[in-house]
Each structure stands twice: as structure tokens, then as C-alpha cells.
């Protein structure tokens, strides 16, 4: 239990570190294209945007891997799909 908590904490810190690094890199790009210095509200918005994007990506990929591991992809029921009914020879 403790090992799992430490692992989760390290993954979270890694994600936050990557978000911070991406925010810093994007701010350098912003300055390089002539956007000027980034105000505090710009830093906050960019940080939230990068963090939200990384978090959403992580969450969706985790759900995709969980679904595949548990076999949910194999249990699809297509009986209600209109294109999968009995063949019609009209």
C-alpha cells in the first residue's frame, strides 16, 4: 500500500514537472515570436492549460489501457446497431 502511494506520488510529481517544463518552453516560444513578456495571468492560463491537457491525456489513456486489460473491448454488443440486423434482400 505504501509502495503504491509512493509510486503514485512520483508519477504525479513527474507529471507536474513535465507540465512546468512545457509551460516554460511555451513561454520562451511566445517571447521568440515577438509576443512580449508574459504577464502573470498569461502564466496562470498557460499553466492551467498545459496541466489540464496532460491530465486529460493521462486519464483517457489510463481508461483505454484499463478497458483493454479487463476485456471490455471484447464484450461489445452490436445487436441494436441498425446495420447489423438480419440481411434484407429487397
Amino acid at each position: 500500500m505504501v509502495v503504491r502511494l509512493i509510486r503514485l506520488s512520483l508519477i504525479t510529481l513527474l507529471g507536474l514537472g513535465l507540465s512546468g517544463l512545457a509551460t516554460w518552453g511555451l513561454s520562451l516560444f511566445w517571447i521568440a515570436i515577438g509576443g512580449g513578456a508574459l504577464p502573470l495571468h498569461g502564466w496562470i492560463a498557460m499553466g492551467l492549460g498545459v496541466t489540464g491537457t496532460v491530465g486529460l491525456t493521462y486519464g483517457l489513456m489510463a481508461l483505454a489501457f484499463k478497458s483493454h486489460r479487463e476485456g471490455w473491448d471484447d464484450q461489445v454488443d452490436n445487436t441494436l446497431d441498425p446495420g447489423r440486423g438480419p440481411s434484407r434482400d429487397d
Side-chain angles (χ1 to χ4, degrees):
M1 183 73 166
V2 173
V3 174
R4 188 173 182 186
L5 182 62
I6 291 173
R7 183 177 177 196
L8 182 62
S9 298
L10 288 175
I11 290 172
T12 303
L13 287 174
L14 178 66
L16 289 173
L18 287 174
S19 296
L21 185 65
T23 302
W24 177 74
L26 287 173
S27 69
L28 289 179
F29 177 73
W30 176 259
I31 292 170
I33 64 171
L38 205 58
L40 177 63
H41 290 93
W43 278 99
I44 293 170
M46 191 180 315
L48 289 174
V50 169
T51 303
T53 302
V54 169
L56 181 65
T57 303
Y58 178 80
L60 290 174
M61 288 305 296
L63 286 174
F65 285 119
K66 178 179 171 54
S67 172
H68 178 70
R69 247 184 272 124
E70 293 180 357
W72 287 99
D73 300 330
D74 301 334
Q75 301 172 9
V76 176
D77 181 16
N78 287 331
T79 57
L80 299 177
D81 187 2
R84 303 270 306 183
S87 63
R88 295 183 209 147
D89 295 325
D90 293 336

